[in-house]
Coordinates of all heavy atoms in Angstrom, one line a residue:
M231 N 104.4 90.8 95.8 CA 105.3 91.8 95.2 C 106.2 92.4 96.3 O 106.4 93.6 96.3 CB 104.5 92.8 94.5 CG 105.4 93.8 93.6 SD 105.5 93.5 92.0 CE 104.4 92.1 91.7
G232 N 106.7 91.6 97.2 CA 107.5 92.2 98.3 C 106.8 93.2 99.2 O 107.4 93.9 99.9
C233 N 105.5 93.1 99.1 CA 104.7 94.0 99.9 C 103.9 93.2 101.0 O 103.3 92.2 100.6 CB 103.7 94.8 99.0 SG 102.6 95.8 99.9
R234 N 104.0 93.7 102.2 CA 103.4 92.8 103.2 C 101.9 93.1 103.5 O 101.3 92.5 104.4 CB 104.2 93.0 104.5 CG 105.6 92.5 104.4 CD 105.7 91.0 104.5 NE 107.0 90.5 104.2 CZ 107.4 90.1 103.0 NH1 106.5 90.0 102.0 NH2 108.6 89.6 102.7
T235 N 101.4 94.1 102.8 CA 100.0 94.4 103.0 C 99.1 93.3 102.6 O 99.3 92.7 101.6 CB 99.6 95.7 102.2 OG1 100.6 96.7 102.4 CG2 98.2 96.2 102.5
V236 N 98.2 92.9 103.5 CA 97.3 91.8 103.2 C 95.9 92.4 103.1 O 95.3 92.9 104.0 CB 97.3 90.7 104.3 CG1 96.4 89.6 104.0 CG2 98.7 90.2 104.4
L237 N 95.4 92.3 101.9 CA 94.0 92.8 101.6 C 93.4 91.8 100.6 O 94.1 91.0 100.0 CB 94.1 94.1 101.0 CG 94.5 95.3 101.8 CD1 94.7 96.5 101.0 CD2 93.5 95.6 102.9
S238 N 92.1 91.8 100.5 CA 91.4 90.9 99.6 C 91.8 91.3 98.2 O 92.3 92.4 97.9 CB 89.9 91.0 99.8 OG 89.4 92.2 99.3
K239 N 91.4 90.4 97.3 CA 91.8 90.6 95.9 C 91.1 91.8 95.3 O 91.5 92.4 94.3 CB 91.4 89.3 95.1 CG 92.3 89.0 93.9 CD 92.1 87.6 93.4 CE 93.0 87.4 92.2 NZ 92.7 86.1 91.6
R240 N 90.0 92.3 95.9 CA 89.3 93.5 95.4 C 90.2 94.7 95.5 O 90.0 95.7 94.8 CB 88.0 93.7 96.1 CG 86.9 92.9 95.6 CD 85.6 93.3 96.3 NE 85.8 93.3 97.7 CZ 84.9 93.8 98.6 NH1 83.9 94.5 98.1 NH2 85.1 93.7 99.9
A241 N 91.2 94.6 96.4 CA 92.0 95.8 96.6 C 93.3 95.7 95.8 O 94.3 96.3 96.1 CB 92.4 95.9 98.1
L242 N 93.3 94.8 94.8 CA 94.5 94.6 93.9 C 94.2 95.0 92.5 O 93.0 94.9 92.0 CB 94.9 93.2 94.0 CG 95.4 92.6 95.3 CD1 95.5 91.1 95.3 CD2 96.7 93.2 95.7
T243 N 95.2 95.5 91.8 CA 95.0 95.7 90.4 C 96.1 94.9 89.6 O 97.2 94.8 90.1 CB 95.3 97.2 90.0 OG1 94.3 98.0 90.7 CG2 95.3 97.5 88.5
R244 N 95.6 94.2 88.6 CA 96.5 93.4 87.8 C 97.2 94.1 86.7 O 96.6 94.9 86.0 CB 95.7 92.2 87.2 CG 96.6 91.1 86.5 CD 95.7 89.9 86.3 NE 96.5 88.8 85.7 CZ 96.3 88.5 84.4 NH1 95.5 89.0 83.6 NH2 97.1 87.5 83.9
V245 N 98.5 93.9 86.6 CA 99.3 94.5 85.5 C 99.8 93.3 84.6 O 100.3 92.3 85.2 CB 100.5 95.3 86.0 CG1 101.3 95.9 84.8 CG2 100.0 96.4 86.9
V246 N 99.5 93.4 83.3 CA 99.8 92.2 82.5 C 100.9 92.6 81.4 O 100.8 93.7 80.8 CB 98.6 91.7 81.7 CG1 98.8 90.5 81.0 CG2 97.5 91.5 82.7
R247 N 101.8 91.7 81.1 CA 102.7 91.9 80.1 C 102.1 91.5 78.8 O 101.5 90.5 78.6 CB 103.9 90.9 80.4 CG 104.9 90.8 79.3 CD 105.9 89.8 79.7 NE 106.8 89.5 78.6 CZ 107.9 88.7 78.7 NH1 108.2 88.1 79.9 NH2 108.6 88.4 77.7
Q248 N 102.2 92.4 77.8 CA 101.7 92.3 76.5 C 102.8 92.4 75.5 O 103.9 92.9 75.8 CB 100.6 93.3 76.2 CG 99.4 93.3 77.1 CD 98.4 92.1 76.8 OE1 97.6 92.2 75.9 NE2 98.6 91.0 77.5
P249 N 102.6 91.9 74.2 CA 103.7 92.0 73.3 C 104.2 93.4 73.1 O 105.4 93.6 72.8 CB 103.1 91.5 72.0 CG 101.9 90.6 72.5 CD 101.4 91.3 73.7
D250 N 103.4 94.4 73.2 CA 103.8 95.8 72.9 C 104.0 96.6 74.2 O 104.0 97.8 74.2 CB 102.8 96.5 72.0 CG 101.4 96.4 72.6 OD1 101.2 95.7 73.6 OD2 100.5 97.1 72.1
G251 N 104.2 95.9 75.3 CA 104.4 96.6 76.6 C 103.5 96.1 77.7 O 102.8 95.1 77.5
V252 N 103.5 96.8 78.8 CA 102.6 96.3 79.9 C 101.3 97.1 79.8 O 101.2 98.1 79.3 CB 103.3 96.5 81.3 CG1 104.6 95.7 81.4 CG2 103.5 97.9 81.6
Q253 N 100.3 96.4 80.4 CA 99.0 97.0 80.4 C 98.3 96.8 81.7 O 98.5 95.7 82.3 CB 98.2 96.3 79.2 CG 96.9 97.1 78.8 CD 96.3 96.5 77.6 OE1 97.1 96.1 76.7 NE2 95.0 96.5 77.5
I254 N 97.5 97.7 82.1 CA 96.7 97.6 83.3 C 95.5 96.8 83.0 O 94.8 97.1 82.0 CB 96.4 98.9 84.0 CG1 97.7 99.5 84.6 CG2 95.3 98.8 85.1 CD1 97.7 101.0 84.9
D255 N 95.1 95.8 83.8 CA 94.0 94.9 83.4 C 93.0 94.9 84.6 O 93.1 94.0 85.4 CB 94.6 93.5 83.2 CG 93.6 92.5 83.0 OD1 92.5 92.8 82.5 OD2 93.9 91.3 83.2
P256 N 92.1 95.8 84.6 CA 91.2 95.9 85.7 C 90.3 94.7 85.8 O 89.8 94.4 86.9 CB 90.4 97.2 85.5 CG 91.1 97.9 84.4 CD 91.9 96.9 83.6
T257 N 90.0 94.0 84.7 CA 89.1 92.9 84.7 C 89.8 91.6 85.1 O 89.1 90.6 85.4 CB 88.4 92.7 83.3 OG1 89.5 92.4 82.4 CG2 87.7 94.0 82.9
G258 N 91.1 91.6 85.0 CA 91.9 90.4 85.4 C 91.7 89.3 84.3 O 91.9 88.1 84.6
K259 N 91.3 89.7 83.1 CA 91.0 88.7 82.1 C 92.0 88.6 80.9 O 91.9 87.7 80.1 CB 89.6 88.9 81.5 CG 88.5 88.5 82.5 CD 87.2 88.8 82.0 CE 86.1 88.4 83.1 NZ 84.9 89.1 82.9
L260 N 92.9 89.5 80.9 CA 93.9 89.5 79.8 C 94.8 88.3 79.9 O 95.2 88.0 81.0 CB 94.7 90.8 79.7 CG 94.0 92.0 79.2 CD1 94.9 93.2 79.3 CD2 93.5 91.9 77.8
A261 N 95.2 87.7 78.8 CA 96.2 86.6 78.8 C 97.6 87.2 79.0 O 97.8 88.4 78.6 CB 96.1 85.8 77.5
G262 N 98.5 86.5 79.5 CA 99.8 86.9 79.6 C 100.3 86.9 81.0 O 99.5 86.7 82.0
R263 N 101.6 87.1 81.2 CA 102.2 87.1 82.5 C 101.7 88.3 83.3 O 101.8 89.4 82.8 CB 103.7 87.1 82.4 CG 104.4 87.1 83.8 CD 105.9 87.1 83.6 NE 106.4 85.8 83.3 CZ 106.8 84.9 84.2 NH1 106.7 85.2 85.5 NH2 107.2 83.7 83.9
G264 N 101.2 88.1 84.5 CA 100.6 89.2 85.2 C 101.2 89.3 86.6 O 101.7 88.4 87.1
A265 N 101.0 90.5 87.2 CA 101.4 90.7 88.6 C 100.3 91.5 89.2 O 99.6 92.4 88.6 CB 102.7 91.4 88.6
Y266 N 100.0 91.3 90.5 CA 99.0 92.0 91.2 C 99.7 93.0 92.1 O 100.6 92.7 92.9 CB 98.2 91.0 92.1 CG 97.2 90.2 91.3 CD1 97.6 89.0 90.8 CD2 96.0 90.7 90.9 CE1 96.7 88.2 90.0 CE2 95.1 90.0 90.2 CZ 95.5 88.7 89.7 OH 94.6 88.0 89.0
L267 N 99.2 94.2 92.1 CA 99.6 95.3 92.9 C 98.5 95.9 93.8 O 97.3 95.9 93.3 CB 100.2 96.5 92.1 CG 101.4 96.2 91.2 CD1 101.8 97.4 90.5 CD2 102.6 95.6 92.1
H268 N 98.8 96.2 95.0 CA 97.7 96.9 95.8 C 97.3 98.2 95.2 O 98.2 98.9 94.6 CB 98.2 97.0 97.2 CG 98.4 95.7 97.9 ND1 99.6 95.2 98.2 CD2 97.5 94.8 98.4 CE1 99.4 94.0 98.8 NE2 98.2 93.8 98.9
N269 N 96.1 98.6 95.5 CA 95.7 99.9 95.0 C 96.2 101.0 96.0 O 95.4 101.7 96.6 CB 94.1 99.9 95.0 CG 93.6 98.9 94.0 OD1 94.3 98.6 93.0 ND2 92.4 98.4 94.2
S270 N 97.4 101.2 96.0 CA 98.0 102.2 96.8 C 99.3 102.7 96.1 O 100.0 102.0 95.5 CB 98.4 101.7 98.2 OG 99.5 100.8 98.2
R271 N 99.5 104.0 96.3 CA 100.7 104.6 95.7 C 102.0 104.0 96.2 O 102.9 103.7 95.5 CB 100.8 106.1 95.9 CG 100.0 106.9 94.8 CD 100.5 108.3 94.7 NE 100.2 109.1 95.9 CZ 99.1 109.7 96.2 NH1 98.1 109.7 95.3 NH2 98.9 110.4 97.3
S272 N 102.0 103.7 97.5 CA 103.2 103.2 98.1 C 103.6 101.8 97.5 O 104.8 101.6 97.3 CB 103.1 103.1 99.7 OG 102.0 102.2 100.0
C273 N 102.6 101.0 97.2 CA 102.8 99.7 96.6 C 103.4 99.9 95.2 O 104.3 99.2 94.8 CB 101.6 98.9 96.7 SG 101.8 97.2 96.2
W274 N 102.8 100.8 94.4 CA 103.2 101.0 93.0 C 104.6 101.6 92.9 O 105.4 101.3 92.1 CB 102.1 101.8 92.3 CG 100.9 101.0 92.0 CD1 100.1 100.4 92.9 CD2 100.5 100.7 90.7 NE1 99.1 99.7 92.2 CE2 99.3 99.9 90.8 CE3 100.9 101.0 89.4 CZ2 98.6 99.4 89.8 CZ3 100.2 100.4 88.3 CH2 99.0 99.6 88.5
E275 N 104.8 102.5 93.9 CA 106.2 103.1 93.9 C 107.2 102.1 94.0 O 108.3 102.0 93.4 CB 106.3 104.2 95.0 CG 105.7 105.5 94.5 CD 105.5 106.5 95.7 OE1 106.0 106.2 96.8 OE2 104.9 107.5 95.5
R276 N 107.0 101.2 95.0 CA 107.9 100.1 95.2 C 108.0 99.2 94.0 O 109.1 98.8 93.6 CB 107.4 99.3 96.4 CG 108.5 98.4 97.1 CD 107.9 97.7 98.3 NE 107.5 98.5 99.4 CZ 106.2 98.7 99.8 NH1 105.2 98.0 99.2 NH2 105.9 99.5 100.7
A277 N 106.9 98.9 93.4 CA 106.9 98.0 92.2 C 107.7 98.6 91.1 O 108.4 98.0 90.3 CB 105.5 97.7 91.8
L278 N 107.5 100.0 90.9 CA 108.1 100.6 89.8 C 109.6 100.7 89.9 O 110.4 100.9 89.0 CB 107.5 102.0 89.6 CG 106.2 102.1 88.9 CD1 105.6 103.4 88.9 CD2 106.3 101.6 87.4
K279 N 110.1 100.6 91.2 CA 111.5 100.6 91.4 C 112.2 99.3 91.0 O 113.4 99.2 91.0 CB 111.8 100.8 92.9 CG 111.7 102.3 93.3 CD 111.9 102.5 94.7 CE 111.5 104.0 95.1 NZ 111.2 104.1 96.6
G280 N 111.4 98.3 90.6 CA 112.1 97.1 90.1 C 111.3 95.8 90.3 O 111.4 94.9 89.5
G281 N 110.4 95.8 91.3 CA 109.7 94.6 91.5 C 108.8 94.2 90.4 O 108.7 93.0 90.1
L282 N 108.2 95.1 89.8 CA 107.2 94.8 88.7 C 107.9 94.3 87.5 O 107.5 93.2 86.9 CB 106.4 96.1 88.3 CG 105.3 95.9 87.3 CD1 104.3 94.9 87.7 CD2 104.7 97.2 86.9
A283 N 109.0 94.9 87.1 CA 109.8 94.5 85.9 C 110.3 93.0 86.2 O 110.3 92.2 85.3 CB 110.9 95.4 85.7
N284 N 110.7 92.8 87.4 CA 111.2 91.4 87.8 C 110.1 90.4 87.7 O 110.3 89.3 87.1 CB 111.8 91.4 89.2 CG 113.2 91.9 89.3 OD1 113.9 91.9 88.3 ND2 113.6 92.3 90.4
A285 N 108.9 90.8 88.2 CA 107.8 89.8 88.3 C 107.3 89.5 86.9 O 107.0 88.4 86.6 CB 106.7 90.4 89.1
L286 N 107.4 90.5 86.0 CA 106.9 90.3 84.6 C 108.0 89.9 83.7 O 107.7 89.6 82.5 CB 106.2 91.6 84.1 CG 105.0 92.1 84.9 CD1 104.4 93.3 84.3 CD2 103.9 91.0 85.0
K287 N 109.2 89.9 84.1 CA 110.4 89.6 83.3 C 110.4 90.5 82.0 O 110.5 90.0 80.9 CB 110.4 88.1 82.9 CG 110.4 87.2 84.1 CD 110.8 85.8 83.8 CE 110.6 84.8 84.9 NZ 111.4 85.2 86.1
V288 N 110.2 91.8 82.3 CA 110.3 92.7 81.2 C 111.2 93.9 81.6 O 111.4 94.1 82.8 CB 109.0 93.3 80.8 CG1 108.1 92.3 80.1 CG2 108.2 93.9 82.0
T289 N 111.6 94.7 80.7 CA 112.2 96.0 80.9 C 111.1 97.0 80.6 O 110.6 97.0 79.5 CB 113.4 96.2 80.1 OG1 114.4 95.2 80.3 CG2 114.1 97.6 80.4
L290 N 110.8 97.8 81.6 CA 109.7 98.8 81.4 C 110.2 99.9 80.5 O 111.3 100.5 80.7 CB 109.3 99.4 82.7 CG 108.6 98.4 83.7 CD1 108.3 99.1 85.0 CD2 107.3 97.8 83.1
S291 N 109.5 100.2 79.4 CA 109.8 101.3 78.5 C 109.4 102.6 79.2 O 108.6 102.6 80.1 CB 109.1 101.1 77.2 OG 107.7 101.3 77.4
E292 N 109.8 103.7 78.6 CA 109.4 105.0 79.0 C 107.9 105.1 79.0 O 107.2 105.7 79.9 CB 110.0 106.1 78.2 CG 111.4 106.6 78.8 CD 111.3 106.9 80.2 OE1 110.5 107.7 80.6 OE2 112.1 106.3 81.0
A293 N 107.3 104.6 77.9 CA 105.8 104.7 77.8 C 105.1 103.9 78.8 O 104.1 104.3 79.4 CB 105.4 104.2 76.4
D294 N 105.7 102.7 79.1 CA 105.1 101.9 80.2 C 105.2 102.6 81.5 O 104.2 102.7 82.3 CB 106.0 100.6 80.4 CG 105.8 99.6 79.2 OD1 104.7 99.7 78.5 OD2 106.7 98.8 79.0
R295 N 106.3 103.2 81.8 CA 106.5 103.9 83.1 C 105.5 105.1 83.2 O 105.0 105.4 84.2 CB 107.9 104.4 83.2 CG 108.9 103.3 83.5 CD 110.3 103.8 83.7 NE 111.2 102.7 84.2 CZ 111.2 102.3 85.4 NH1 110.5 102.8 86.3 NH2 112.0 101.2 85.7
Q296 N 105.4 105.8 82.1 CA 104.5 106.9 82.1 C 103.1 106.5 82.4 O 102.4 107.1 83.2 CB 104.6 107.6 80.7 CG 103.5 108.6 80.5 CD 104.1 110.0 80.3 OE1 105.3 110.2 80.0 NE2 103.3 111.0 80.6
M297 N 102.6 105.4 81.7 CA 101.3 104.9 81.9 C 101.1 104.5 83.3 O 100.0 104.8 83.9 CB 101.0 103.8 80.8 CG 99.7 103.2 80.8 SD 99.5 101.9 82.1 CE 100.5 100.6 81.3
L298 N 102.0 103.7 83.8 CA 101.9 103.2 85.2 C 101.9 104.4 86.2 O 101.2 104.4 87.2 CB 103.0 102.2 85.5 CG 103.0 100.9 84.7 CD1 104.3 100.2 84.8 CD2 101.8 100.1 85.1
S299 N 102.7 105.4 86.0 CA 102.8 106.5 86.9 C 101.5 107.3 86.9 O 101.0 107.8 87.9 CB 103.9 107.5 86.5 OG 105.1 106.8 86.6
E300 N 100.9 107.4 85.7 CA 99.6 108.1 85.6 C 98.5 107.4 86.4 O 97.7 107.9 87.1 CB 99.2 108.3 84.1 CG 99.9 109.5 83.5 CD 99.7 109.5 82.0 OE1 98.8 108.8 81.5 OE2 100.5 110.3 81.4
F301 N 98.5 106.0 86.3 CA 97.6 105.2 87.0 C 97.8 105.4 88.5 O 96.9 105.6 89.3 CB 97.6 103.8 86.6 CG 96.6 102.9 87.3 CD1 95.3 102.9 86.8 CD2 96.9 102.2 88.4 CE1 94.3 102.1 87.5 CE2 96.0 101.4 89.1 CZ 94.7 101.4 88.6
M302 N 99.1 105.3 88.9 CA 99.5 105.4 90.3 C 99.0 106.7 90.9 O 98.6 106.7 92.1 CB 101.0 105.3 90.4 CG 101.5 105.4 91.8 SD 103.3 105.1 91.8 CE 103.9 106.7 91.3
A303 N 99.0 107.8 90.1 CA 98.6 109.1 90.6 C 97.1 109.1 91.0 O 96.7 110.0 91.8 CB 98.9 110.2 89.6
T304 N 96.3 108.2 90.5 CA 94.9 108.2 90.8 C 94.7 107.4 92.1 O 93.5 107.4 92.6 CB 94.1 107.5 89.7 OG1 94.4 106.1 89.6 CG2 94.4 108.1 88.3
L305 N 95.7 106.7 92.6 CA 95.5 105.8 93.8 C 95.7 106.6 95.1 O 96.4 107.6 95.1 CB 96.5 104.7 93.7 CG 96.3 103.8 92.5 CD1 97.5 102.8 92.5 CD2 95.0 103.0 92.5
P306 N 95.0 106.1 96.2 CA 95.3 106.7 97.5 C 96.7 106.3 97.9 O 97.3 105.3 97.5 CB 94.2 106.1 98.4 CG 93.9 104.8 97.7 CD 94.1 105.0 96.2
E307 N 97.2 107.1 98.9 CA 98.6 106.8 99.4 C 98.7 105.4 99.9 O 99.6 104.7 99.7 CB 98.9 107.8 100.5 CG 100.3 107.6 101.1 CD 101.4 107.8 100.1 OE1 101.3 108.5 99.1 OE2 102.4 107.1 100.2
E308 N 97.7 105.0 100.7 CA 97.7 103.6 101.3 C 96.4 102.9 100.8 O 95.4 103.6 100.7 CB 97.8 103.6 102.8 CG 99.1 104.2 103.3 CD 100.3 103.4 103.0 OE1 100.1 102.1 102.8 OE2 101.4 103.9 102.8
A309 N 96.5 101.6 100.6 CA 95.3 100.9 100.2 C 94.3 100.9 101.3 O 94.6 100.8 102.5 CB 95.7 99.5 99.8
V310 N 93.0 101.0 100.9 CA 91.9 100.9 101.8 C 91.0 99.8 101.3 O 90.8 99.7 100.1 CB 91.2 102.2 102.0 CG1 92.0 103.2 102.8 CG2 90.8 102.8 100.7
E311 N 90.5 99.1 102.2 CA 89.5 98.0 101.8 C 88.1 98.6 102.0 O 87.8 99.1 103.1 CB 89.7 96.8 102.7 CG 88.9 95.6 102.2 CD 89.7 94.3 102.4 OE1 90.5 94.2 103.3 OE2 89.4 93.4 101.7
E312 N 87.3 98.5 101.0 CA 86.0 99.0 101.0 C 85.0 97.9 101.4 O 85.2 96.8 101.1 CB 85.6 99.7 99.7 CG 86.4 100.9 99.4 CD 86.3 101.4 98.0 OE1 85.2 101.1 97.4 OE2 87.2 102.0 97.5
G313 N 83.9 98.4 101.9 CA 82.8 97.4 102.2 C 83.0 96.7 103.5 O 82.6 95.6 103.7
Ligands
ZN147 ZN1 101.4 95.9 97.9

């Protein structure tokens, strides 16, 4: 997603395009076009500026943005790899 951070897949969260909007998919099992974002606010901020909508080929609705922003607020500023 235009982000140069290299971390294992455990440090990524999948966002999936659904018929009624985008959805966060922590299990990675939802069908649909998906994009992976690092678990960091900096990565999500960048994605919300346009990269995510491009990757998913959707226009983010206000509800989508609100949901994604709320999730983003729970993330650390920079991704950290655990274990
Ligand atoms: Zn990233």
